[in-house]
Amino acid sequence: NAGVMQNPRHLVRRRGQEARLRCSPMKGHSHVYWYRQLPEEGLKFMVYLQKENIIDESGMPKERFSAEFPKEGPSILRIQQVVRGDSAAYFCASSPSRDSYGYTFGSGTRLTVV
Amino acid sequence: AQSVTQLDSQVPVFEEAPVELRCNYSSSVSVYLFWYVQYPNQGLQLLLKYLSGSTLVKGINGFEAEFNKSQTSFHLRKPSVHISDTAEYFCAVSGGSNYKLTFGKGTLLTVNP
């Protein structure tokens, strides 16, 4: 039973390009959460999704960021027109139900904007 | 809203010494409390969690933590550390909605020979 799979592990983008981060939840998990870890900071909640629905996006920046979790395929976090301040580690977690105590985290995608 | 304060950003210790990593939280509702470990360039691994019941929680790798409601603390302890325990440790809390975690800034534990 594979864990939460995130790809790519490392992503380098030039300012103004788009970044697409993918997260495949654990088998049987239909709840996905995205967190961002800025340098020297803890993780900050971004968004919570269930299949085809965004439940809570209160932590998402209002512009340039979007997330989806389609019926088929992985969850995608999309950052348009990246800026240097978007450089961070982005972690995805999944759970079998709507709660925090069943989380399993992926290994993260480290985005560097040059 | 919840918040988490990890009082030490870095803790250096010698191998086989005991260690305590401190965590205080604030919340207006009942909480769940967690400790996660992050090895370099890896994801977060759950060490232990407090949901309810006994205030002393035992986790993996010989770690334990004690929930103290009156002091709003959840300190992590290990009686004898190994070189392999070198990592970043994060305290986290959830409450209210119960699906969202609020993390502290982390404590870097460095175990020296």
Side-chain angles (χ1 to χ4, degrees):
Chain A
N1 185 12
V4 177
M5 304 301 293
Q6 289 190 250
N7 65 80
R9 290 293 303 275
H10 300 274
L11 182 62
V12 179
R13 284 287 177 265
R14 296 186 184 279
R15 280 178 293 170
Q17 291 185 318
E18 178 180 288
R20 291 172 70 88
L21 288 61
R22 294 175 183 77
C23 169
S24 296
M26 282 187 70
K27 188 176 181 180
H29 288 192
S30 59
H31 302 255
V32 166
Y33 315 83
W34 285 93
Y35 285 76
R36 177 165 66 172
Q37 184 181 29
L38 293 167
E40 311 291 321
E41 296 281 329
L43 280 73
K44 298 266 195 279
F45 171 82
M46 298 181 76
V47 62
Y48 162 37
L49 310 104
Q50 291 182 39
K51 285 285 187 182
E52 301 184 275
N53 290 301
I54 297 174
I55 308 301
D56 180 352
E57 57 182 347
S58 58
M60 289 275 272
K62 294 288 183 265
E63 297 178 350
R64 303 185 297 108
F65 284 71
S66 61
E68 62 177 10
F69 188 16
K71 187 176 181 182
E72 300 291 336
S75 176
I76 306 285
L77 180 67
R78 183 183 177 205
I79 312 172
Q80 295 179 289
Q81 300 177 314
V82 295
V83 301
R84 289 233 170 99
D86 297 332
S87 294
Y90 292 82
F91 290 95
C92 166
S94 71
S95 67
S97 59
R98 179 189 171 117
D99 60 65
S100 59
Y101 51 82
Y103 271 31
T104 300
F105 276 93
S107 296
T109 294
R110 280 148 184 88
L111 172 65
T112 303
V113 180
V114 297
Chain B
Q2 292 84 40
S3 67
V4 176
T5 302
Q6 291 185 243
L7 296 155
D8 306 294
S9 60
Q10 296 186 52
V11 174
V13 295
F14 288 109
E15 195 173 16
E16 298 183 9
V19 71
E20 179 180 80
L21 306 184
R22 296 180 293 169
C23 172
N24 286 89
Y25 70 92
S26 67
S27 177
S28 57
V29 298
S30 296
V31 295
Y32 297 156
L33 293 156
F34 307 82
W35 276 98
Y36 284 89
V37 60
Q38 184 180 32
Y39 299 102
N41 294 318
Q42 294 189 27
L44 276 75
Q45 181 181 5
L46 180 66
L47 274 178
L48 48 79
K49 60 189 175 189
Y50 171 79
L51 305 181
S52 65
S54 172
T55 57
L56 182 62
V57 181
K58 294 195 182 295
I60 61 170
N61 301 341
F63 284 93
E64 64 180 31
E66 185 152 20
F67 170 54
N68 187 319
K69 189 174 181 180
S70 62
Q71 297 188 4
T72 60
S73 68
F74 191 55
H75 301 332
L76 181 71
R77 301 186 185 98
K78 186 169 183 178
S80 176
V81 294
H82 303 288
I83 299 282
S84 59
D85 292 323
T86 294
E88 186 108 36
Y89 291 79
F90 291 96
C91 181
V93 62
S94 73
S97 63
N98 284 344
Y99 59 78
K100 193 185 300 185
L101 288 174
T102 299
F103 285 85
K105 290 190 176 183
T107 297
L108 178 62
L109 174 65
T110 303
V111 181
N112 298 300

